[in-house]
Amino acid sequence: MVAVRYETAFKLYPYEKVPAQSGAVQRHPVVIVGGGPVGLALALDLGKKGTPALVLDDHDGAGLGSKAICFAKRTLDIASRLGASASMVDKGVVWNVGKVFHGEGNLFKFDLLPESGHRNPAFINLQQPYFERFLVDEIRNAQKAGAPIEIRGRNSVTAMKQFDEYTALDIQTPDGPYHLEAEYLIACDGARSSIRDMMGLSFDGRVFEDNFLIADVKMKADFPTERWFWFEPPFKDSGQSALLHKQPDDIWRIDFQLGWDIDREKELDADRIRARVDAMLSSQAGSVPEYELHWTSIYTFQCRRMETFRHGTVLFAGDSAHQVSPFGARGANSGVQDAENLAWKLDLVLKGLAEDSLLDTYATEREFGADENILNSSRATDFMTPKSNVSKTFRNAVLDLAGRHAFARPLVNSGRLSVPCTYDGFDLFGPDTLAGPDITRPGATCPDAPVDEGYLLDHLSGAFHILNIGDGTAISVTSEGITADVINIAAPSSELSARYLGDEPCAVYLIRPDQHVVARWASFDEKAIAAALKNSIGKGAE
Amino acid sequence: MTLILEPNIPDPDGFYDELLCAHEELTDDESEAFNARLILTLCNHIGDREILRAALEAAK
């Protein structure tokens, strides 16, 4: 039997019996456990590079519930590179304006003021099941084009044994058990990772003593497409904070912060939830519009991470490795960045172009990213749920001042929205010999910019690239069997100049497959680029 | 700039009086909230993180 742990929104990879279930034990280069956003993105990235990926999921589709609803530009840029973003942006709700309220008062309004010259918006709201569906759609397209990706639904890992060179897995299916082996096992199986548990690894951090009630309601309402956040909301029984945010399909996400001492069963009672939602909606609309409860859930949250994301040939990515509070949309977004960091490194290692030790840098880079996300999300949580009298006094002082004076508004923290980290000072990056803009220093992700009729990131297709801006000449550079091709931009757009040149007349950037800047120079220098390329795949210190 | 720890307020007795006057009629809770708003307002005016850090240290 394969236990059903949760309901699914829809089937994406129904169980099908495969010959491997009865034949000899097969060894796969990469086995990914968990078909959520992280596992699917990783499989798609690997498969498009020609490296075989097998995804095992103990269910056959996306779990029910909107869950991660806020997908950030970096995630959409990654999805664009993987060919899956168009349907996400089409379906998703694009929003820029947020309003912050304290009690009855409207404190202030903010506008994310999208910068011009990016293909993707700063954020979209999209229910997680759709995100997963669009990734699976693109996996199906890639499979048709020959990408070696396989997803096996209702294949549950029941036991594992780690050897030096591989991991042996016991799999349970509706047709009984079978065995397989993984050269690399990637655990993308979520915050309650069964792989982590089977390995007896700890997952330490801070549990926040609070409960949040999510009510997704379906209604035709003419509230604007804005993020509304209340501290100490004025409507009855709404708890210490509340959030109203729009999703596709006329669904609105409403969150209520209920505190720690609650009766979970009682609070999930539909009538009780309706009373809260009625109070909120009538306070905004004057009366209660017709609506239906689409999905409800109560969650508490933790901020924690594994000490290291790599344990031999087993690597952890996404929520299995690190968990953050939901404020700031740093869960799924950071997990997809894990997947993209890991994909090109695994690909090079499996093709024999890089040493296995390159995968150590997956762990160190993404552990740093996780720490940054945990820091941001813990700070937001401390602001939203003050833990002492004095912290509450200061919090309310900030809110009070924010209504009257602009200076206090940046201190209001209801979640700092997800941006990728910059790997400052990490081993695989540098040098930086260009007096260029800070935002494109080595370690940073490449910001998008218009190029001809399209966008820069469309040209950074998942390989190493040399970006040659201005009138200098450059040729492709090969080092250690890896070639970085040249993208020439003789007449840069104003946005591209601002983001990549600053006051410099020309620039040469080396960019790695995950669109992070490796190094940059004022002019082309083949030897310097070859050395930086070699260093960027972990072969620098010899 | 370094944190000024030498006398810097003209008419110190007058300033002190004004500070206390601002708290007249306030309950303890209101005074606490007022102090928090005052601290935040002054910190923003200073802005310089080094100075603010030195002030946090000096006030211990």
Side-chain angles (χ1 to χ4, degrees), chain A residues 14 130 132 187:
Chain A
Y130 282 122
E132 296 178 23

Side-chain angles (χ1 to χ4, degrees), chain A residues 393-394 397-398 400-401 404 407, chain B residues 32-33 36-37 39-41 44:
Chain A
T393 302
F394 272 113
V398 167
D400 192 332
L401 290 166
R404 294 184 272 154
F407 88 79
Chain B
E32 222 180 300
R37 292 195 298 273
I39 290 169
L40 292 168
T41 307
N44 180 68

Side-chain angles (χ1 to χ4, degrees), chain A residues 475-515:
Chain A
I475 53 166
S476 63
V477 174
T478 301
S479 181
E480 303 291 320
I482 296 170
T483 299
D485 284 326
V486 181
I487 300 161
N488 279 310
I489 296 169
S493 60
S494 60
E495 290 97 337
L496 196 139
S497 292
R499 289 165 201 165
Y500 289 85
L501 289 176
D503 298 326
E504 297 295 301
C506 44
V508 176
Y509 282 75
L510 177 64
I511 294 161
R512 65 183 205 179
D514 59 6
Q515 298 178 341

Side-chain angles (χ1 to χ4, degrees), chain A residues 120-172:
Chain A
N120 288 312
F123 289 95
I124 60 166
N125 284 0
L126 181 71
Q127 293 90 329
Q128 183 175 329
Y130 282 122
F131 187 84
E132 296 178 23
R133 172 189 277 177
F134 297 141
L135 284 176
V136 171
D137 286 347
E138 186 53 28
I139 286 175
R140 300 302 179 210
N141 290 336
Q143 285 171 324
K144 277 178 208 143
I149 308 169
E150 189 184 349
I151 310 177
R152 294 184 191 165
R154 302 204 68 197
N155 272 236
S156 171
V157 179
T158 55
M160 59 180 285
K161 190 161 195 287
Q162 218 183 336
F163 299 92
D164 286 348
E165 303 284 312
Y166 69 99
T167 303
L169 300 173
D170 292 354
I171 312 292
Q172 185 61 264

